Amino acid sequence: MTPDLRPVTDADWDSWYSSLERAFGGVRESDQERALYRDLTELDRSFGAWDEGAWVGTAGAFSFRLSVPGGAMVPAAGVTMVSVAATHRRQGVLTAMMRHQLDSVRELGEPLAVLTASEPAIYGRFGYGTATYAMSVDVDSSRVAIAAPPGTEGVRLRFADPEQAAEACEAVYLRRAGSRPGMPARSPGWERQPLLDPPADREGGSPLQCVLAERGGETVGYARFHNRPDWSDAGPRGAVVLRDAAADDPAAYAALWRFLCGIDLTSSVRSRSLPVDDPLLHLVSDVRRCSVRVRDSLHLRPVELGAALQARTYQAPVDVVLEVADAFCPWNTGRWRLSGDAKGASCERTRDAADLELSVRELGSAYLGGVSLSSLAGAGRVRELREGALAEASTAFGSDAAPWLPHGF
């Protein structure tokens, strides 16, 4: 079929969103979730495929600014709400929507597009590469101790109403956003997303709870979590389900984790999304009892390759010519000379001989510094054409802090 792509209007948002819910299993979201995403939806960036009086595909984007190596906040399209009706799979609907969307992103001048994938295998053919990973842990708090860095005892903890504490928590988040690639600077409205508390997301636990870490009367950290009680014949075995936690310094972060691991009647603390280099790995007394697992998180594709590569800095001097293939956005195909260091970069088209050969997908994976070009070369996805170029570029693309996406969208 040739999809009939139409913009979403205020009047038909509800039917459009209902078709999205149906594609993801048919469970209607809570009124709280639905109201928030209705408010956050950018109608001028939302559209869908229409067939005989019904939506058979949906797609949209949020206007984000994403932290990249060097600390800059770069405009990025946060691709979201993508679905195809089960009746219209493998009929070109998704390809048509991706084509329309990436053309629109280019017209808006956003050098990056990012998304989270329900099925990671889907988006590689459109040039998206896995750029960040998330670590989940299940800490056996009955047998794991938390180290106390200097200053931990000076941190005061107190319970706070999640809604009333939201502004203080958001201030902590924003102070951290530029320090780690992959974190979006939340625009107005997004501070409400971490407060969503539908019962289905509590894993059988309590309503959302919040604890603030304070020093000298100032909020320096927070943890938001659910407490899930449970009992066995041997006694209590409840679990703490951590939604998110952040702190300005090691002492405050350790104080929060020590609190979480010491809550009465519980024997485990679970978190589904931490950076892969989270300090928790070095605070616990026994990392084997933390059940560490890693999964893909943010997928990224350069939309305007030159602008994207010169928007970030590089942790070592680099001067390489990249032979780039991009079948879906052919304006990126060709040779590009990337020259840069910790102060800035330039990326321009060139006719010089290529040093590395790769596709835009590999550049998407390596862009935030969490996936090395050398590891991609080991999988046969990057080819070195000049001896030494791979090591030079791989080192330069790295990041001191592992990139991380703190929440979905």
Side-chain angles (χ1 to χ4, degrees):
M1 65 176 292
T2 300
D4 177 13
L5 300 183
R6 298 187 179 186
V8 177
T9 66
D10 187 72
D12 55 27
W13 182 90
D14 193 70
S15 62
W16 176 81
Y17 199 79
S18 293
S19 71
L20 170 70
E21 290 177 318
R22 182 175 58 215
F24 278 87
V27 178
R28 184 181 172 92
E29 291 182 348
S30 69
D31 290 344
Q32 182 191 29
E33 291 175 286
R34 201 176 177 93
L36 174 62
Y37 286 109
R38 173 62 187 88
D39 290 344
L40 293 176
T41 297
E42 298 180 33
L43 290 177
D44 58 344
R45 307 198 67 169
S46 303
F47 63 99
W50 186 263
D51 186 31
E52 296 186 356
W55 296 107
V56 297
T58 64
F62 297 118
S63 302
F64 283 154
R65 290 183 300 118
L66 193 73
S67 178
V68 303
M73 289 290 182
V74 177
V79 176
T80 187
M81 302 180 189
V82 178
S83 73
V84 175
T87 53
H88 287 67
R89 295 174 66 237
R90 296 189 174 90
Q91 297 181 38
V93 175
L94 179 60
T95 298
M97 292 193 301
M98 291 292 99
R99 170 79 282 138
H100 174 77
Q101 186 175 67
L102 287 171
D103 287 344
S104 298
V105 172
R106 187 188 187 200
E107 289 175 5
L108 289 171
E110 293 167 323
L112 303 174
V114 294
L115 56 81
T116 60
S118 56
E119 296 180 89
I122 293 175
Y123 292 97
R125 69 182 188 271
F126 302 118
Y128 289 87
T130 304
T132 77
Y133 290 83
M135 178 176 69
S136 63
V137 296
D138 193 340
V139 180
D140 181 355
S141 54
S142 67
R143 304 183 70 173
V144 171
I146 301 295
T152 303
E153 301 303 329
V155 178
R156 174 179 179 264
L157 302 179
R158 68 176 179 90
F159 279 99
D161 178 88
E163 293 279 352
Q164 295 178 3
E167 185 176 351
C169 295
E170 190 67 10
V172 175
Y173 174 88
L174 291 175
R175 288 197 293 271
R176 296 180 64 229
S179 65
R180 186 180 289 275
M183 296 182 70
R186 293 199 280 243
S187 53
W190 278 96
E191 75 282 354
R192 294 160 51 199
Q193 197 236 27
L195 301 177
L196 285 174
D197 190 26
D201 289 353
R202 296 174 183 169
E203 299 187 29
S206 67
L208 188 66
Q209 299 186 42
C210 178
V211 161
L212 298 180
E214 298 177 331
R215 184 186 295 111
E218 299 293 327
T219 299
V220 293
Y222 66 88
R224 292 183 281 219
F225 61 94
H226 306 284
N227 194 336
R228 194 187 76 180
D230 193 17
W231 298 81
S232 70
D233 291 341
R237 59 178 187 186
V240 177
V241 181
L242 179 63
R243 286 277 294 275
D244 64 326
D248 289 341
D249 55 69
Y253 195 60
L256 288 166
W257 269 101
R258 191 166 61 170
F259 160 77
L260 293 167
C261 289
I263 294 177
D264 290 340
L265 309 181
T266 68
S267 58
S268 66
V269 181
R270 302 175 184 174
S271 175
R272 296 294 174 252
S273 180
L274 296 172
V276 296
D277 62 346
D278 195 88
L280 176 67
L281 296 173
H282 309 290
L283 290 171
V284 296
S285 58
D286 188 347
V287 73
R288 295 184 188 179
R289 296 189 181 277
C290 295
S291 300
V292 176
R293 297 175 300 282
V294 174
R295 59 173 172 78
D296 67 286
S297 182
L298 187 71
H299 297 246
L300 181 150
R301 84 113 60 220
V303 178
E304 285 286 5
L305 185 62
L309 291 180
Q310 65 188 27
R312 54 156 293 179
T313 62
Y314 297 84
Q315 65 175 5
V318 62
D319 184 15
V320 293
V321 175
L322 307 171
E323 181 80 49
V324 180
D326 190 346
F328 203 70
C329 295
W331 56 82
N332 289 324
T333 296
R335 293 181 187 172
W336 298 82
R337 177 174 290 280
L338 171 64
S339 301
D341 55 25
K343 296 180 180 179
S346 65
C347 188
E348 304 289 344
R349 288 196 174 276
T350 182
R351 294 183 178 179
D352 294 343
D355 300 319
L356 296 177
E357 185 179 72
L358 71 173
S359 81
V360 73
R361 183 181 176 187
E362 284 71 58
L363 285 171
S365 291
Y367 184 78
L368 295 176
V371 177
S372 75
L373 290 171
S374 292
S375 67
L376 292 168
R381 293 174 54 185
V382 177
R383 190 160 71 99
E384 184 179 54
L385 304 177
R386 172 177 63 81
E387 186 176 356
L390 178 62
E392 175 189 343
S394 189
T395 299
F397 267 82
S399 170
D400 182 57
W404 176 58
L405 176 69
H407 59 80
F409 53 88

